[in-house]
Amino acid sequence: MSKIDRRALIAVAGLALAAPELGHAQESGKPQDAAAPKPEAKGVTHTLARYVVNARFEDLPETVRREATRTFLNWVGVAIGGSHHETLDVAVSALAPFSGPPQAGLFGRTERFDIMNAAFLNGVSSHIFDYDDTHLKTVIHPAGPVASAILAYAEMHPVSGRDFLNALVLGIETECRIGNAVYPNHYDIGWHITGTAGVFGAAAAAGKLMGLTEQQMVFALGLAASQPVGLRESFGSMNKSFNPGRAAANGLFAAILAAKGFTSSDGMIEAKRGWANTVSTKQDYREITEGLGTRYESLLNTYKPFACGIVMHPAIDAAIQLRDEQHLKPDQIARVDLKVHPLVLELTGKTAPQFGLEGKFSIFHAVAVALVEGAAGEKQFSDRAVRDPVVVALREKVVPVVTPGIAAAQVDMTVTLKDGRTLHRRIEHAIGSVERPMTDAALERKFTDLADGVLPEAQARRVMALCWSLETLGDAADVTRAGVAQA
Amino acid sequence: MSKIDRRALIAVAGLALAAPELGHAQESGKPQDAAAPKPEAKGVTHTLARYVVNARFEDLPETVRREATRTFLNWVGVAIGGSHHETLDVAVSALAPFSGPPQAGLFGRTERFDIMNAAFLNGVSSHIFDYDDTHLKTVIHPAGPVASAILAYAEMHPVSGRDFLNALVLGIETECRIGNAVYPNHYDIGWHITGTAGVFGAAAAAGKLMGLTEQQMVFALGLAASQPVGLRESFGSMNKSFNPGRAAANGLFAAILAAKGFTSSDGMIEAKRGWANTVSTKQDYREITEGLGTRYESLLNTYKPFACGIVMHPAIDAAIQLRDEQHLKPDQIARVDLKVHPLVLELTGKTAPQFGLEGKFSIFHAVAVALVEGAAGEKQFSDRAVRDPVVVALREKVVPVVTPGIAAAQVDMTVTLKDGRTLHRRIEHAIGSVERPMTDAALERKFTDLADGVLPEAQARRVMALCWSLETLGDAADVTRAGVAQA
């Protein structure tokens, strides 16, 4: 046939049709323009991969290294704290028969698993109390997926503290920047963003430690894009802490395959049919590609001083400040008036909690227990605490009133004493916020409190010391070895 | 405080606000109505779980058992066929260091893995050639995720052929019905539906064999909903066959955890923030809940007689019919005119393929090789075949013309011989379609062709015999044991 004929035929092929009954032909061929949801961006995955592959520890600002170390210490503490919760007991017993060689340990426990199962289990443990770190811009809990994956890997393939810290920072950058690109739409649709963006962070950090090439890293991110984890609908069940754990394991799985030559497509984050267009109605790729190596999302990470939703933190902060400054005793208090943002009562309006977990959704209990015990850790949200007669009596005197002009980050508290005196405290930003970060000493108290009952105090202090000195450790996995329970 | 005060306060809590900076509070509390994408359906997950938990082999119509057996035999054949492709070699070498006990085998290979890794690897193997079964209504490849999961499980926990066949049917029903509920929107958005719906099929089938209670099955489906796999963007890379494999492993992982008491939420498929609302803009829950036990999606499963996209099947069918009936020799042929649907050239318009895989996207090669060799299996899409001088010469004589009135399932072929005679064949439905299913004998030829070079012919015949007698087997895993390579 002549070239003319042939050109004519190819021209005809330009047509795009909707042909659902030929879906399979679509599946093995190229997608149809008719169904294209978004214009295509270029090179986003490659740009991110190039940065992760080339970024050096020496290039990290001291502030970033410092914050990442605090992030790591806080994460180890919550992983130890959750290690004997029923959620983890169930997961450990379910997975034990299928585990590979005992390559990595579990914080606070004696069992050892292959690194993918260990990454899953430590990731679950660290989110059980919902007390881990938070990147408030995206509500991602950054450490869980990333640290769980690379610490397990580090036990099998020794990694220096410097390389570990660098990988931790790069993993956090990867997941938070990808989260920024699709938040809030992606979260509003129903995705648990910690599990969906976290897979990328785990793959990037693990791939960094494995020394992937740029192309391998692109494929690792592509395999990560193929394995998002978690729906918000599961909140309130064990499935919530499942998500960061599975994200850690999936990211590690992606990096392990890519390191051996398993391929994906080149633009899985940004392509027309890529991750961002598939899981979100918003895509701002500049959040991923701009300021790499100069702007660090890890500097925006925060740590909860109180074991409950951030909405109650300003009131708890005010209560503890007044209690400690005035040496308040519960029987001195006649009434506690609170001016609050509407979300406080929408999310934590439970007046008479019967169980510890319900206490996390009761502003009445939270303020009362903070005034009685001067703290709001996991112990203050136990069945014991919500049933303590002194706390129960005091919570009946807590009167939160939704007040126009009070922002979500604020609270205005007035404590009226039986002797007629009134004490006032207004909070603009609660302790634990970006504006008023927890001190290192407060992070240590939180860690000690979480480890109490799981590890001997001396051992807990040893683990903390190793976390603080992460940057100088010859072998980052010393932290895990120090943090497991003695058989 | 008085009851009046308290009621007033709770009333205020009714407000719903957008407060992104409080995302974390949202995350640990209830989702905000403002962001609710869809009204809530009721009981869909429970209804499906109840059906799966209670359905008995004795209730399966003979036609359903027969089709499921054909589905199983076709799947075993493609799993054997892909077992030595580079994709699987890479995955096997990457995962070997992390595998648990050697609980399950891989078709066509000597290695053994724990059941979750084995499910992944057999699932990958079965999709490498894109030659597995297809549920055309949703373009789901049903067997991969389901059979890979339960056959691996069956090697660890012996299961009768009857129970295995029942679980296979229930898994296919689960994934295809959930796929029906969201197709085509879900697929058009960019999801690889075989991996996203397949997870549910694997969890349901594995959970059935584990004897989960209705509540445990609801949670297994919830954990499956938390782990969708695969984007269409990855098509053309190893990542495509990764998806059914990972779906099998994720579904098995979900069922294993649920069996030990790991929880999820109750309505993860249909709830306001559930899977269907999160991954699709269409939700038709009747597709999931109506006609359970009376309407069987597994009866709509089809098998490819040719190792390429379905769009070329009518033309290949016509070519083989004319060749065989007329004993055509290539050198007799002057020209081959084809009246085709536009998608044929849109998807398979490649005129001069240089490599085997490119041949799958060339109607010119497909028709030529079918006329020369009387087949279009994996061998006819090899580098050898696309470079065969006789095939190359003939493909230059193939003239496809897009013709109004020719449906996607049709083709009109006229072969002009050098002696002036013309041979005509019109195809309304190609062999392999629901209207003209492959015969059992044709499925056996396909199986033999795929096993050729992987297993000795006698062994391949033994495996086929076991597949045909699945329903009467005392131990379904005999099929795997017969289908692995001899060490």
Side-chain angles (χ1 to χ4, degrees), chain B residues 79-116:
Chain B
I80 291 170
S83 62
H84 288 275
H85 188 278
E86 177 194 8
T87 303
L88 207 66
D89 290 339
V90 168
V92 165
S93 68
L95 299 177
F98 312 101
S99 177
Q103 296 159 341
L106 306 182
F107 282 110
R109 302 186 66 105
T110 57
E111 300 92 346
R112 292 180 66 78
F113 284 80
D114 65 81
I115 67 173
M116 276 180 279

Side-chain angles (χ1 to χ4, degrees), chain A residues 95-119:
Chain A
L95 298 177
F98 312 103
S99 176
Q103 296 159 342
L106 307 182
F107 282 111
R109 301 186 66 106
T110 57
E111 301 92 345
R112 293 181 64 79
F113 284 80
D114 65 80
I115 67 173
M116 277 181 278
N117 276 305

Side-chain angles (χ1 to χ4, degrees), chain A residues 1 6 9-10 12-13 15-17 19-32 35 37 87 90-91 93-95 97-101 103 114-117 120 130 134 136 139 141 156 183 187-192 194 222-223 225-235 237-240 242-243 246 250 253 256-257 260-265 268 271-275 278-279 304 309-311 341-343 345-347 349 351 361 364 395-396 398-402 408, chain B residues 1 6 9-10 12-13 15-17 19-32 35 37 87 90-91 93-95 97-101 103 114-117 120 130 134 139 141 156 183 187-192 194 222-223 225-235 237-240 242-243 246 250 253 256-257 260-265 268 271-275 278-279 304 309-311 341-343 345-347 349 351 361 364 395-396 398-402 408:
Chain A
M1 62 192 298
R6 188 57 60 91
L9 293 177
I10 304 308
V12 177
L15 297 168
L17 302 178
E21 80 282 6
L22 264 194
H24 188 266
Q26 295 168 35
E27 185 169 2
S28 26
K30 50 177 140 61
Q32 294 183 294
T87 302
V90 168
S93 68
L95 298 177
F98 312 103
S99 176
Q103 296 159 342
D114 65 80
I115 67 173
M116 277 181 278
N117 276 305
F120 170 72
D130 217 323
T134 307
L136 291 169
V139 302
H141 302 290
M156 187 178 185
Y183 187 86
Y187 187 79
D188 291 341
I189 290 166
W191 291 105
H192 184 193
T194 293
L223 292 166
S226 304
Q227 305 174 78
V229 182
L231 303 175
R232 286 170 59 191
E233 188 62 38
S234 68
F235 290 178
S237 76
M238 294 180 181
N239 196 156
K240 185 170 196 262
F242 171 95
N243 298 338
R246 193 56 170 170
N250 285 357
F253 193 72
I256 284 167
L257 285 168
K260 288 286 186 179
F262 205 92
T263 66
S264 180
S265 294
M268 288 287 280
K272 187 169 68 178
R273 301 233 174 247
W275 183 86
T278 302
V279 303
K304 292 175 161 187
I310 282 172
V311 66
H341 183 275
L343 269 178
L345 286 172
E346 182 188 349
L347 300 175
T351 56
F361 300 95
F364 308 98
R395 80 185 181 206
E396 287 292 318
V398 176
V399 186
V401 177
V402 172
Chain B
M1 63 191 300
R6 189 58 60 91
L9 293 177
I10 304 308
V12 176
L15 296 167
L17 302 179
E21 80 282 6
L22 266 193
H24 188 266
Q26 295 170 33
E27 186 170 2
S28 25
K30 49 177 141 57
Q32 295 181 291
T87 303
V90 168
S93 68
L95 299 177
F98 312 101
S99 177
Q103 296 159 341
D114 65 81
I115 67 173
M116 276 180 279
N117 276 305
F120 170 72
D130 217 322
T134 308
V139 301
H141 302 291
M156 188 177 184
Y183 187 88
Y187 187 79
D188 291 341
I189 289 167
W191 292 105
H192 185 194
T194 294
L223 292 166
S226 304
Q227 304 174 78
V229 182
L231 303 175
R232 284 169 59 190
E233 187 61 39
S234 69
F235 290 179
S237 76
M238 294 179 180
N239 196 156
K240 185 172 198 258
F242 171 95
N243 298 339
R246 193 57 171 168
N250 285 357
F253 192 72
I256 284 167
L257 284 167
K260 288 287 186 179
F262 206 91
T263 67
S264 180
S265 294
M268 288 287 279
K272 187 170 66 178
R273 302 238 173 240
W275 183 86
T278 302
V279 303
K304 291 175 161 187
I310 281 172
V311 66
H341 182 276
L343 271 177
L345 286 172
E346 183 189 346
L347 300 175
T351 56
F361 300 94
F364 308 98
R395 80 186 180 204
E396 286 293 318
V398 175
V399 186
V401 177
V402 171

Side-chain angles (χ1 to χ4, degrees), chain B residues 144-453:
Chain B
V146 177
S148 307
I150 58 178
L151 197 56
Y153 178 81
E155 255 195 286
M156 188 177 184
H157 301 281
V159 171
S160 73
R162 292 160 60 95
D163 290 344
F164 183 91
L165 198 58
N166 191 35
L168 178 61
V169 168
L170 295 170
I172 291 173
E173 287 305 308
T174 298
E175 66 188 325
C176 291
R177 284 168 168 271
I178 290 173
N180 288 344
V182 296
Y183 187 88
N185 307 44
H186 172 67
Y187 187 79
D188 291 341
I189 289 167
W191 292 105
H192 185 194
I193 192 168
T194 294
T196 55
V199 189
F200 292 103
K208 175 68 174 181
L209 293 182
M210 295 174 192
L212 299 189
T213 64
E214 179 182 325
Q215 184 63 70
Q216 289 172 328
M217 184 64 77
V218 164
F219 290 158
L221 292 171
L223 292 166
S226 304
Q227 304 174 78
V229 182
L231 303 175
R232 284 169 59 190
E233 187 61 39
S234 69
F235 290 179
S237 76
M238 294 179 180
N239 196 156
K240 185 172 198 258
S241 46
F242 171 95
N243 298 339
R246 193 57 171 168
N250 285 357
L252 191 52
F253 192 72
I256 284 167
L257 284 167
K260 288 287 186 179
F262 206 91
T263 67
S264 180
S265 294
D266 262 335
M268 288 287 279
I269 293 174
E270 75 280 10
K272 187 170 66 178
R273 302 238 173 240
W275 183 86
N277 286 328
T278 302
V279 303
S280 181
T281 51
K282 173 207 164 192
Q283 302 83 18
D284 182 354
Y285 298 113
R286 293 166 308 178
E287 289 284 352
I288 299 175
T289 55
E290 287 185 2
L292 288 165
T294 56
R295 169 172 67 77
Y296 286 90
E297 293 298 314
S298 50
L299 288 176
L300 303 179
N301 208 7
T302 65
Y303 319 99
K304 291 175 161 187
F306 312 126
C308 57
I310 281 172
V311 66
M312 299 197 296
H313 289 204
I316 293 168
D317 190 7
I320 293 174
Q321 287 186 33
L322 288 176
R323 172 191 184 273
D324 293 350
E325 290 170 16
Q326 308 288 330
H327 309 293
L328 287 179
K329 299 274 167 293
D331 58 12
Q332 294 176 270
I333 300 172
R335 176 179 174 108
V336 181
D337 289 285
L338 291 176
K339 295 177 182 171
V340 300
H341 182 276
L343 271 177
V344 173
L345 286 172
E346 183 189 346
L347 300 175
T348 61
K350 193 176 285 289
T351 56
Q354 302 303 310
F355 303 97
L357 184 59
E358 291 182 297
K360 295 192 177 193
F361 300 94
S362 172
I363 183 68
F364 308 98
H365 169 74
V367 169
V369 77
L371 285 166
V372 173
E373 304 188 7
E378 200 52 35
K379 288 187 179 60
Q380 282 69 42
F381 294 101
S382 62
D383 294 352
R384 186 273 311 164
V386 298
R387 295 167 186 171
D388 177 338
V390 177
V391 174
V392 171
L394 188 53
R395 80 186 180 204
E396 286 293 318
K397 301 174 178 172
V398 175
V399 186
V401 177
V402 171
T403 307
I406 297 289
Q410 301 173 316
V411 80
D412 188 290
M413 176 182 287
T414 300
V415 176
T416 304
L417 303 184
K418 292 175 178 172
D419 65 12
R421 284 186 298 148
T422 62
L423 310 171
H424 175 260
R425 180 60 40 96
R426 184 182 178 93
I427 299 291
E428 297 301 328
H429 296 287
I431 183 71
S433 62
V434 176
E435 297 77 5
R436 284 184 54 220
M438 285 177 76
T439 63
D440 291 354
L443 283 175
E444 291 202 352
R445 282 193 299 275
K446 175 182 176 181
F447 188 110
T448 306
D449 190 47
L450 283 161
D452 181 33

Side-chain angles (χ1 to χ4, degrees), chain A residues 113-200:
Chain A
F113 284 80
D114 65 80
I115 67 173
M116 277 181 278
N117 276 305
F120 170 72
L121 293 164
N122 280 324
V124 170
S125 190
S126 68
H127 195 53
I128 286 173
F129 294 145
D130 217 323
Y131 201 11
D132 46 344
D133 53 316
T134 307
H135 178 254
L136 291 169
K137 276 168 68 178
T138 58
V139 302
I140 288 172
H141 302 290
V146 177
S148 306
I150 59 178
L151 197 55
Y153 177 81
E155 255 196 284
M156 187 178 185
H157 300 282
V159 171
S160 73
R162 291 158 61 92
D163 290 345
F164 183 90
L165 198 59
N166 191 34
L168 178 62
V169 169
L170 294 170
I172 291 172
E173 286 306 307
T174 297
E175 67 190 323
C176 292
R177 283 167 168 271
I178 290 174
N180 289 342
V182 296
Y183 187 86
N185 306 43
H186 172 67
Y187 187 79
D188 291 341
I189 290 166
W191 291 105
H192 184 193
I193 191 169
T194 293
T196 55
V199 189
F200 292 102

Side-chain angles (χ1 to χ4, degrees), chain B residues 128-152:
Chain B
I128 286 173
F129 295 145
D130 217 322
Y131 202 10
D132 46 343
D133 54 317
T134 308
H135 176 257
L136 291 169
K137 276 169 69 178
T138 57
V139 301
I140 288 172
H141 302 291
V146 177
S148 307
I150 58 178
L151 197 56

Side-chain angles (χ1 to χ4, degrees), chain A residues 146-453:
Chain A
V146 177
S148 306
I150 59 178
L151 197 55
Y153 177 81
E155 255 196 284
M156 187 178 185
H157 300 282
V159 171
S160 73
R162 291 158 61 92
D163 290 345
F164 183 90
L165 198 59
N166 191 34
L168 178 62
V169 169
L170 294 170
I172 291 172
E173 286 306 307
T174 297
E175 67 190 323
C176 292
R177 283 167 168 271
I178 290 174
N180 289 342
V182 296
Y183 187 86
N185 306 43
H186 172 67
Y187 187 79
D188 291 341
I189 290 166
W191 291 105
H192 184 193
I193 191 169
T194 293
T196 55
V199 189
F200 292 102
K208 176 68 175 180
L209 293 182
M210 294 173 193
L212 300 188
T213 64
E214 178 181 327
Q215 183 63 70
Q216 289 172 327
M217 184 65 76
V218 164
F219 290 158
L221 293 171
L223 292 166
S226 304
Q227 305 174 78
V229 182
L231 303 175
R232 286 170 59 191
E233 188 62 38
S234 68
F235 290 178
S237 76
M238 294 180 181
N239 196 156
K240 185 170 196 262
S241 47
F242 171 95
N243 298 338
R246 193 56 170 170
N250 285 357
L252 191 51
F253 193 72
I256 284 167
L257 285 168
K260 288 286 186 179
F262 205 92
T263 66
S264 180
S265 294
D266 263 337
M268 288 287 280
I269 294 174
E270 75 279 10
K272 187 169 68 178
R273 301 233 174 247
W275 183 86
N277 286 327
T278 302
V279 303
S280 180
T281 52
K282 173 207 164 192
Q283 302 82 18
D284 183 352
Y285 298 114
R286 293 166 308 178
E287 289 284 353
I288 299 175
T289 56
E290 288 184 2
L292 287 165
T294 56
R295 170 171 66 77
Y296 287 91
E297 293 299 314
S298 49
L299 288 176
L300 304 179
N301 208 7
T302 65
Y303 319 100
K304 292 175 161 187
F306 312 126
C308 56
I310 282 172
V311 66
M312 298 197 298
H313 289 205
I316 294 168
D317 189 8
I320 293 173
Q321 286 186 34
L322 290 177
R323 172 190 183 274
D324 293 349
E325 291 169 18
Q326 308 289 330
H327 309 293
L328 287 179
K329 298 275 167 294
D331 57 13
Q332 294 176 270
I333 300 171
R335 176 180 173 107
V336 181
D337 289 286
L338 291 176
K339 296 177 181 170
V340 300
H341 183 275
L343 269 178
V344 173
L345 286 172
E346 182 188 349
L347 300 175
T348 60
K350 193 175 286 288
T351 56
Q354 302 305 310
F355 302 98
L357 183 59
E358 290 181 297
K360 295 193 178 195
F361 300 95
S362 172
I363 183 66
F364 308 98
H365 169 74
V367 169
V369 78
L371 285 166
V372 173
E373 303 188 9
E378 199 54 33
K379 288 187 178 60
Q380 282 69 42
F381 294 102
S382 61
D383 292 353
R384 185 275 309 165
V386 299
R387 294 166 187 171
D388 176 340
V390 177
V391 174
V392 170
L394 187 54
R395 80 185 181 206
E396 287 292 318
K397 302 173 178 173
V398 176
V399 186
V401 177
V402 172
T403 307
I406 296 288
Q410 302 173 314
V411 80
D412 188 289
M413 176 183 287
T414 300
V415 177
T416 305
L417 303 184
K418 291 175 178 171
D419 64 14
R421 285 185 300 147
T422 63
L423 309 171
H424 176 261
R425 182 58 41 94
R426 183 182 178 93
I427 298 291
E428 297 301 327
H429 296 287
I431 184 70
S433 62
V434 175
E435 296 78 5
R436 285 183 55 219
M438 283 177 78
T439 61
D440 291 354
L443 284 175
E444 291 202 352
R445 281 193 298 277
K446 175 183 177 181
F447 188 110
T448 306
D449 191 47
L450 283 161
D452 180 34

